[in-house]
Amino acid sequence: MSQRQNDQTIADVGEFALIDLVREQLGTSDYVLVGPGDDAAHIATADGTYVTATDILVEGRHFRRDWSTAADIGRKAVAANLSDINAMGGVATALLVAFAAPGDTPVSWVTDLVGGMVEECAKVGARIVGGDMSAADQVVISITALGDAERPVTRSGAQVGDQVAFAGTLGLASAGYGALSRGFRSPKAAVDEHRAPHPPYAAGPAAATGGATAMIDISDGLLADLGHVARASKVAIDVDPAAFEILDAVQTVAGALGGVDPLRFVLAGGDDYALAATFPADATLPDGWTRVGVVRSGAGVTVGGAPWEGGVGHKHWT
Amino acid sequence: MSQRQNDQTIADVGEFALIDLVREQLGTSDYVLVGPGDDAAHIATADGTYVTATDILVEGRHFRRDWSTAADIGRKAVAANLSDINAMGGVATALLVAFAAPGDTPVSWVTDLVGGMVEECAKVGARIVGGDMSAADQVVISITALGDAERPVTRSGAQVGDQVAFAGTLGLASAGYGALSRGFRSPKAAVDEHRAPHPPYAAGPAAATGGATAMIDISDGLLADLGHVARASKVAIDVDPAAFEILDAVQTVAGALGGVDPLRFVLAGGDDYALAATFPADATLPDGWTRVGVVRSGAGVTVGGAPWEGGVGHKHWT
């Protein structure tokens, strides 16, 4: 991009020129039969079906422009969506991106955002195949991910006696949020994970192949999301609090915040985009998966056999 | 819905209860293998591929809550998306809806919005299969439509000598916008079309079957959108101004606004979600299509052989 473009706002260049600029950043793949620039994209599937999910991220609610770079926000927005496909045991192939922002947003902020999106997409081989733009009072990013899942794993298949396991990182992103919200800029591992998480993209398809009976991605917090699985599967889940390794950065933040129980970040923190799944009792867990609990008859989620009193999950408008 | 819910805001009931309420309004179809409520939806295709497009609508830019009912806004938001699938010659089967709004938004406004969406979806047999919700300072609706197209028609296939034709209504919605913006509430035909347009959903697939070489939906205005076709196809397009029937309501608004040329609404007004397409010179136009011009060599769009001086299209941030 030229220096002149770096100084410009999106109102300066206008919608069509901005779309042209962004389009240059996108690649293509064998799945993309018709890509960006037409009324609709035309995408091939592996088996005649596809899985799809959408997420909407709002400035000040899901990200802050003073806390995260545009590239980090782009990576996180895409990661949140790819994670939903991962949680079905799928692999994303295509994304649509809707973007709204105030006219004084720098063009370079938008191209950096898209750069981060493209980088995150590359981790699974997905491409941005279409989108839309509008003016708005605050930045809003809405992404739809599309992909293939050979054997989609829903939330509703957990069976009494199943093992409960997770893959990925737990507590790091919410510890990072805790640090940032108190004005800290460290520990780096936690703050970076909040800004741009690293979902375990190989773990979803591996769980599907490995016989997972139910799966979900952890965006509301492990206990809240296991609660969704328990409700959908009409079972109870008990989690063993001793099964979790508490990462150093999580310990550090818990201490800095005046002795918060670090397990709170692990059990109730969202935004790591880890996966939780249930597997038959006799299944060998795939690589990257750790056993942390068991499925029982009944309802609800317990920790070491008792209700968890540390608070769960994040809700909008409350 | 109970009276109690009618008085409540979305902050009162919270995200999960609101999602449950909305989910009750959605139906299903044979295409929907896994519907709302899981990490992702799982959808079947007719031929192993799908077409998909996304649109983002922002309060105060694309709709006003004091001009339109929630149901009309829902119908229009869905119509804008279904129109993109229509413009590929496709039929939508599934939609994902991302929704952001202030906490003081009434629950009944949201359920009425979704009611309008479901009603518009029913016109083509599509279903809402997933979505997301967030708090935001203004209402933002981002929809992704997915569907089947046996023979996708892009913007880039127009050939010199082709006929240019349109299907649907031209000028009515923008005349309605003109009336509303001056404080009028009539003529009803125009105002209603602005609030909730009636895209010609049968005309897109008919054009694909009938040999259309290029197609686009008219959201920026006929001339602006034919400009997109001309650019993508590397041709020129000339439109015959005498080929258009000017609807009574358009005449009325043009007169009421102090002698505006009514052709301006027809040629430059968007939001009707009509279709424009090109067909081989010897093709018989399908039902619902009217010939209005010809494809020539060169570049750009002219009206009766001359540049149109009446202004074209709508741009964001300008």
Side-chain angles (χ1 to χ4, degrees), chain B residues 172-290:
Chain B
L172 210 48
S174 61
Y177 178 84
L180 284 165
S181 63
R182 305 298 174 93
F184 296 112
R185 290 290 178 271
S186 66
K188 189 170 185 303
V191 167
D192 285 356
E193 191 69 16
H194 169 74
R195 287 174 173 146
H198 297 80
Y201 292 125
T209 306
T213 51
M215 186 152 55
I216 192 167
D217 76 324
I218 301 168
S219 53
D220 293 329
L222 177 65
L223 299 183
D225 288 311
L226 285 179
H228 298 317
V229 170
R231 209 159 23 247
S233 299
K234 299 185 172 61
V235 295
I237 288 176
D238 185 56
V239 167
D240 175 7
F244 299 94
E245 179 198 357
I246 311 276
L247 297 170
D248 288 348
V250 175
Q251 295 276 18
T252 301
V253 172
L257 298 187
V260 174
D261 182 354
L263 202 56
R264 187 193 144 86
F265 294 117
V266 171
L267 297 181
D271 275 2
D272 287 298
Y273 298 101
L275 295 179
T278 55
F279 293 87
D282 59 357
T284 303
L285 295 182
D287 278 356
W289 287 86
T290 303

Side-chain angles (χ1 to χ4, degrees), chain A residues 38-62:
Chain A
D38 223 293
D39 292 282
H42 186 207
I43 311 295
T45 68
D47 70 356
T49 71
Y50 58 90
V51 286
T52 180
T54 197
D55 269 314
I56 187 163
L57 284 83
V58 178
E59 180 177 11
R61 310 274 174 179
H62 298 89

Side-chain angles (χ1 to χ4, degrees), chain A residues 15 38-39 41-43 45 48-52 55-56 62 96 101 132 134 137-138 144 154-155 217 316-317, chain B residues 15 38-39 41-43 45 48-52 55-56 62 96 101 132 134 137-138 144 154-155 217 316-317:
Chain A
E15 183 182 3
D38 223 293
D39 292 282
H42 186 207
I43 311 295
T45 68
T49 71
Y50 58 90
V51 286
T52 180
D55 269 314
I56 187 163
H62 298 89
L96 299 163
D132 192 22
S134 173
D137 295 345
Q138 62 193 147
T144 298
T154 67
R155 301 175 176 185
D217 76 324
H316 291 296
W317 304 302
Chain B
E15 183 182 4
D38 223 292
D39 292 282
H42 185 209
I43 311 296
T45 69
T49 71
Y50 58 90
V51 286
T52 180
D55 269 314
I56 187 163
H62 298 89
L96 299 163
D132 192 23
S134 173
D137 295 345
Q138 63 193 144
T144 298
T154 67
R155 300 175 177 185
D217 76 324
H316 292 295
W317 304 303

